[in-house]
Amino acid sequence: MRYNRLGSTGLIVSELCLGAMTFGTDPGRFAEIAGMDQDASTAMVKQALDAGINFIDTANVYTRGQSERFVGQALKDLGVPRSDVVIATKAMGAMGEGPNDAGVSRYHLMHQIDASLDRLGLDHVDLYQIHGWDSQTPMDEALRALDDIVRSGRARYIGVSNWAAWQIMKALGTSERLGLEKFASLQAYYTIAGRDLEREVVPMLLSEGVGLMVWSPLAGGLLSGKYTRGDDGRSAGEGRRAAFDFPPVEMDRAYSLVDAMKAMADAKGASVAQIALAWLLYQPAVSTVIVGAKRADQLTDNIGACEVEFTQGEWDELDKLSRLPREYPGWMLGFQGGYRGEKVSPRRNPK
């Protein structure tokens, strides 16, 4: 297991993060993805920690708080020293029917950090994240609330999820102007079959030193290798996408990539999922990739991605198949100013 700084902070996290979205049996929201009881969740946490993963990510809305409770109970049952694990959770989604039971208002965030800590059985989380955009709360209100949460000791760092580049830049500027805690990380969707993040967000992250935590790195299982063109398994009710066809993916591009990754995987004695995960681990903006599993063999396979290396030819082939078409102003920026800079090398280079 390799370890990276979370953005420009001094916090060191494993390059794979255990996602706890599969934890819980509550039939509420995200029930299609969850389903693991306490014993299975505890075993998954132990397997991850034994493999060197020191980072666990959950959220208050996952199985209506049950995921947080299962994470906290697992740490307690396993006797994990608090200083040996980095715990992240999130708030924003609806936790009730009332008008103030969602969003990032001071009212909601102050309630939810305390509720999350109670469920986790902890006195602080290491990373507290806004789970999405709230059009009704002024940005400075949310940032002041997050700053107070850090200053109170209930969180060590703050982050954000699923925001646009301009929103994050506005928040960073507001925090700078007001002397508030800044976002350390962004949790966002990013895969070899969905590189939209590279248009605006990735350049911003690299410029501002914000770490990237990748969610759904296998595109909801589409890049696991079990789906093929013309036989995606959804009609037979197999796999996660049968019940929850998300995130959206350009299918022709994805299937062409799966075909290419399968050939590479066969040559390396690896799996298609490992190739897809390893591609992300090579990206310079990525601090950690969140992997979620329901079975021990799935997690074992995911962890094996840390050992995958690419040749330059393989890297170029994957890039050609997955590269986004250039859009304005990107092509003009490269045309006018590209010669002034030097190409930034990835953290790990193909051989």
Side-chain angles (χ1 to χ4, degrees):
M1 187 63 59
R2 294 177 176 87
Y3 299 86
N4 302 316
R5 293 168 64 199
L6 184 65
S8 57
T9 75
L11 184 64
I12 307 299
V13 298
S14 49
E15 64 178 354
L16 294 182
C17 171
L18 180 64
M21 200 175 188
T22 56
F23 293 8
T25 56
D26 190 288
R29 195 175 182 188
F30 303 115
E32 303 90 349
I33 297 171
M36 298 176 65
D37 62 18
Q38 180 66 71
D39 289 345
S41 301
T42 299
M44 189 70 69
V45 170
K46 184 178 187 305
Q47 182 183 357
L49 295 175
D50 288 347
I53 292 175
N54 75 341
F55 198 6
I56 301 174
D57 177 76
T58 183
N60 60 354
V61 293
Y62 295 166
T63 50
R64 291 190 286 206
Q66 199 174 48
S67 173
E68 290 179 322
R69 286 194 292 272
F70 281 16
V71 168
Q73 191 64 47
L75 297 177
K76 180 180 179 181
D77 291 346
L78 294 170
V80 179
R82 183 64 184 88
S83 59
D84 286 357
V85 65
V86 177
I87 300 297
T89 193
K90 301 180 284 291
M92 193 282 290
M95 293 298 288
E97 300 299 325
N100 291 307
D101 288 333
V104 297
S105 66
R106 171 178 290 275
Y107 180 96
H108 187 66
L109 290 179
M110 289 301 186
H111 278 292
Q112 290 306 310
I113 183 61
D114 290 337
S116 287
L117 292 177
D118 182 64
R119 287 188 290 266
L120 287 162
L122 303 175
D123 64 359
H124 74 278
V125 291
D126 301 291
L127 179 66
Y128 196 52
Q129 304 156 97
I130 287 179
H131 208 166
W133 177 251
D134 176 8
S135 63
Q136 301 305 305
T137 300
M139 185 177 287
D140 64 333
E141 177 182 337
L143 293 173
R144 287 182 187 276
L146 290 172
D147 185 73
D148 286 345
I149 287 170
V150 171
R151 292 179 185 276
S152 72
R154 287 176 282 183
R156 300 296 187 251
Y157 300 89
I158 59 171
V160 68
S161 181
N162 302 322
W163 276 23
W166 74 264
Q167 293 166 333
I168 299 171
M169 275 304 307
K170 182 177 179 179
L172 294 175
T174 300
S175 293
E176 178 75 21
R177 176 171 56 85
L178 299 177
L180 305 175
E181 189 76 14
K182 292 184 178 181
F183 288 140
S185 61
L186 166 70
Q187 190 171 144
Y189 169 68
Y190 185 34
T191 70
I192 190 172
R195 296 174 61 177
D196 309 58
L197 213 66
E198 295 176 6
R199 296 208 187 279
E200 295 283 349
V201 175
V202 166
M204 179 275 299
L205 297 177
L206 291 170
S207 170
E208 302 306 311
V210 177
L212 176 58
M213 300 170 61
V214 177
W215 62 259
S216 199
L218 298 179
L222 186 66
L223 304 179
S224 65
K226 63 185 176 184
Y227 300 110
T228 57
R229 196 187 307 268
D231 182 23
D232 60 16
R234 287 175 291 173
S235 60
E238 299 174 0
R240 174 175 139 185
R241 279 192 170 259
F244 193 54
D245 195 12
F246 183 85
V249 177
E250 204 289 299
M251 302 303 282
D252 284 341
R253 176 187 296 170
Y255 287 138
S256 295
L257 281 163
V258 169
D259 290 342
M261 291 191 295
K262 187 177 189 310
M264 292 180 192
D266 290 344
K268 296 176 182 295
S271 69
V272 173
Q274 287 173 346
I275 300 296
L277 291 171
W279 182 87
L280 286 166
L281 298 178
Y282 272 68
Q283 302 305 317
V286 173
S287 291
T288 191
V289 174
I290 302 170
V291 293
K294 286 188 175 181
R295 304 193 313 267
D297 63 297
Q298 292 174 330
L299 184 57
T300 297
D301 186 78
N302 290 170
I303 291 169
C306 299
E307 304 303 320
V308 172
E309 295 182 344
F310 295 107
T311 66
Q312 189 63 55
E314 291 168 337
W315 187 256
D316 291 344
E317 180 182 0
L318 292 176
D319 183 65
K320 181 179 179 181
L321 289 170
S322 64
R323 189 183 310 143
L324 295 170
R326 301 189 72 184
E327 291 183 348
Y328 181 83
W331 55 259
M332 180 57 82
L333 295 174
F335 176 75
Q336 288 185 316
Y339 68 94
R340 293 281 290 168
E342 296 179 354
K343 186 176 181 182
V344 178
S345 297
R347 190 166 54 245
R348 290 184 283 176
N349 296 309
K351 294 182 177 179

